[in-house]
Amino acid sequence: PAVLVTKVPSPGQAPYLVCIGHDNRWYVVATADVVGFHAEFPRIARVDTLNPPPDMPMKPGQSRSGDDTTQAIAQQIPPIPPTADIAPEVQEYIERVAAVEQQLQSHPARQWGNPSNLLKRQKRIEKIQEELSDRRTKLHKYTQRYWQEFLTLMTILQQFNCLEGIEPTPLGEMAAAIRGDNELWLGLALASGELDDLTPHQLAAVCAALVTEVSRPDTWARYNHSRDVDMALGGLRGIRHRLFQIQRRYNVSFPVWMEVDWIGLVEQWALGEDWGELCANTSLDEGDIVRILRRTADFLSQIPHVPYLAANLKTSARDAIRAIDRFPVSEDIGLPAMNLVQNADESQA
């Protein structure tokens, strides 16, 4: 609120207005700064004799403090009602908004709390429900996939007479007693009879072919495996081919190993070959050789515990383990005591 004291020329058509505000300050404003003109209030006659401060430039935005005289005038400026400068249609809209807010405040939903918080909770509930539905869908999909894989494996076992319905046959019990990359393949190999008459070192070579793989293509060994080993593996090739076909038909990718390029190493080691000589006759490093021999020994150690196998096969497996399980293949640290004494005698000689 302010009272007009005088007008001063401006560069434009409308003059500048010099006023005293309700806060007892002089102001120079443009006509565009005026938002309302209240002719209903009587003019304060004392302003007619006032002169603006001489040090105040007559430019819009200029302001100076008043004195005691202007203070008395400022106190006579009446307060302007808040709605005095509001258009009727705007006032009507404000009243409608106030009425709606009042209805919202008295709405029965208020008993459950702030509507904004209720909306946030509702959105959170909807989001959780979406996540729960998505996880249920994924869980159902995964469950169906694993269940289908289980049914597929049962079908394969039934085709190889390892299951009658859901009950395991003797062949199924043999496969179940083995642990490996493909227990069915190992069980079929043991049950075929091709390994029953092999000597311990021949059995060790065949078992190495069934359970190990060397992924590097440039490996070689100067040892050849014996003819009986080759015949036993040849007798297993038909079983292996049929297993490959059925696994491919049902989209099952368990490995069916039959490595023959370097199993002569295992046979020679089982026959007592010296470690240094063994390493000198192959491109495999010592770590690969130890890994192959230990995996072979692990499979051989399971054979005596597999049911329904021939007694001579179990005996050959035990003898093969004893032939293979020596330093550095043995899990024990250091050499056996007998070898230590023998080595000591050789060093003295």
Side-chain angles (χ1 to χ4, degrees):
V3 61
L4 176 63
V5 176
T6 186
K7 301 176 183 179
V8 295
S10 71
Q13 294 181 354
Y16 293 148
L17 308 179
V18 181
C19 309
I20 294 176
H22 192 269
D23 57 354
N24 191 27
R25 289 188 66 86
W26 288 90
Y27 294 98
V28 178
V29 298
T31 55
D33 299 323
V34 179
V35 297
F37 182 76
H38 299 277
E40 68 272 16
F41 296 111
R43 177 167 175 75
I44 302 174
R46 292 180 62 181
V47 301
D48 295 339
T49 59
L50 291 179
N51 293 314
D55 61 335
M56 184 174 69
M58 295 295 107
K59 294 181 180 180
Q62 294 296 319
S63 175
R64 293 290 186 275
S65 297
D67 53 18
D68 293 339
T69 302
T70 57
Q71 175 66 33
I73 295 173
Q75 291 176 353
Q76 297 180 43
I77 299 175
I80 306 300
T83 60
D85 297 319
I86 299 178
E89 61 272 16
V90 176
Q91 182 62 34
E92 181 184 358
Y93 181 79
I94 292 174
E95 293 174 355
R96 289 175 58 188
V97 170
V100 172
E101 290 180 348
Q102 180 62 33
Q103 291 179 3
L104 291 175
Q105 292 295 328
S106 59
H107 195 278
R110 277 284 178 178
Q111 62 180 317
W112 305 107
N114 190 311
S116 299
N117 293 336
L118 293 178
L119 289 175
K120 290 181 181 179
R121 293 176 184 176
Q122 179 64 28
K123 291 180 180 179
R124 177 61 177 163
I125 291 174
E126 292 175 356
K127 183 177 180 181
I128 292 175
Q129 288 176 340
E130 291 178 0
E131 292 178 356
L132 181 61
S133 176
D134 181 64
R135 293 186 182 184
R136 282 176 175 171
T137 301
K138 291 181 180 179
L139 178 61
H140 178 73
K141 182 175 66 175
Y142 292 149
T143 303
Q144 287 296 106
R145 187 186 73 182
Y146 295 138
W147 176 247
Q148 188 58 48
E149 289 179 358
F150 175 74
L151 295 179
T152 299
L153 294 178
M154 286 189 63
T155 301
I156 294 175
L157 292 174
Q158 289 168 353
Q159 294 202 18
F160 281 97
N161 298 320
C162 292
L163 288 177
E164 289 184 358
I166 60 173
E167 296 295 327
T169 64
L171 179 56
E173 293 181 19
M174 292 172 60
I178 303 170
R179 67 179 185 275
D181 294 331
N182 191 333
E183 291 85 356
L184 177 58
W185 164 233
L186 300 178
L188 291 172
L190 294 176
S192 67
E194 299 290 344
L195 283 62
D196 292 353
D197 299 324
L198 296 177
T199 61
H201 60 275
Q202 293 168 349
L203 179 61
V206 172
C207 289
L210 301 180
V211 298
T212 57
E213 177 203 24
V214 176
S215 57
R216 292 182 298 180
D218 57 344
T219 58
W220 54 265
R222 294 193 179 97
Y223 297 109
N224 294 320
H225 52 272
S226 62
R227 183 173 179 272
D228 290 337
V229 171
D230 196 51
M231 291 179 61
L233 293 176
L236 296 176
R237 283 192 173 88
I239 300 173
R240 182 171 182 261
H241 179 69
R242 180 167 176 250
L243 181 58
F244 261 130
Q245 286 182 324
I246 294 179
Q247 286 192 171
R248 190 179 300 111
R249 182 187 309 164
Y250 291 99
N251 197 27
V252 174
S253 58
F254 291 123
V256 188
W257 306 128
M258 185 180 282
E259 298 287 346
V260 297
D261 293 335
W262 41 261
I263 59 175
L265 282 172
V266 179
E267 187 173 6
Q268 290 301 315
W269 178 254
L271 286 170
E273 178 68 283
D274 177 74
W275 178 256
E277 188 68 21
L278 191 76
C279 294
N281 284 278
T282 179
S283 63
L284 294 170
D285 57 37
E286 296 187 11
D288 286 335
I289 299 174
V290 170
R291 180 179 60 85
I292 292 169
L293 292 172
R294 285 182 176 175
R295 291 198 66 174
T296 303
D298 177 69
F299 180 44
L300 288 168
S301 67
Q302 300 179 53
I303 294 177
H305 306 287
V306 177
Y308 307 111
L309 290 181
N312 58 328
L313 176 56
K314 294 183 178 182
T315 301
S316 293
R318 295 188 184 96
D319 293 339
I321 294 172
R322 284 192 288 270
I324 289 178
D325 194 24
R326 53 194 173 92
F327 184 83
V329 179
S330 174
E331 296 288 351
D332 297 333
I333 299 176
L335 296 172
M338 181 176 63
N339 288 343
L340 287 174
V341 174
Q342 181 180 358
N343 290 344
D345 293 342
E346 292 175 355
S347 64
Q348 290 177 2

